[in-house]
Amino acid sequence: MDFTLSEDQVALRDLAARILDDATGDDALRAFADSGRPYDDKLWKTLADAGLLGLGLSESAGGMGLGMIDLGLLLEEQGRTLAPVPLVPTLLAGWALDAHGTVGQWAWLPRLLSGEALLTVAI
């Protein structure tokens, strides 16, 4: 088996790394920790503007329609940088809504893509 990343996957990983590295230096993380905020809303908006919040959503929902490896690359960069953003719960909820939601629930997806909404799932 060949586990080499495709050019698109390398580009995705590099984009995520660049955005997250720029926002999570030691001083930025210390300032965030002292702020009392639940997540870094500026970084969240930057991820949305780059289209990274739509990684796993279908193209018909406005996303990129990518898979688990691509999502893993983004999450690996988040973990590497300790980026204080709610990627796992929001992207998981977005996937669930995209795949199994009602027409009314799909109305949340554009808000997720724009970074306006944070979502989560209850199990």
Side-chain angles (χ1 to χ4, degrees):
M1 289 182 130
D2 182 10
F3 293 105
T4 305
L5 297 176
S6 71
E7 287 182 28
D8 288 341
Q9 289 169 328
V10 170
L12 168 71
R13 183 194 60 204
D14 292 349
L15 173 63
R18 193 169 41 256
I19 290 170
L20 295 169
D21 282 341
D22 288 348
T24 58
D26 290 342
D27 293 336
L29 289 175
R30 275 192 208 93
F32 174 78
D34 292 339
S35 75
R37 297 178 317 190
Y39 70 99
D40 185 335
D41 53 334
K42 182 179 175 188
L43 175 55
W44 188 250
K45 182 65 174 148
T46 301
L47 292 169
D49 291 345
L52 294 176
L53 299 184
L55 271 181
L57 296 182
S58 65
E59 291 181 18
S60 63
M64 295 181 186
L66 300 177
M68 293 300 290
I69 292 173
D70 307 286
L71 178 60
L73 294 171
L74 173 60
L75 295 177
E76 181 179 21
E77 292 303 319
Q78 180 191 17
R80 183 183 61 76
T81 60
L82 302 176
V85 290
L87 282 173
V88 170
T90 299
L91 298 183
L92 184 60
W95 246 344
L97 286 180
D98 187 17
H100 305 290
T102 65
V103 172
Q105 292 168 332
W106 289 336
W108 281 95
L109 297 178
R111 294 180 66 202
L112 179 151
L113 291 169
S114 71
E116 177 186 350
L118 302 178
L119 306 175
T120 193
V121 294
I123 300 175

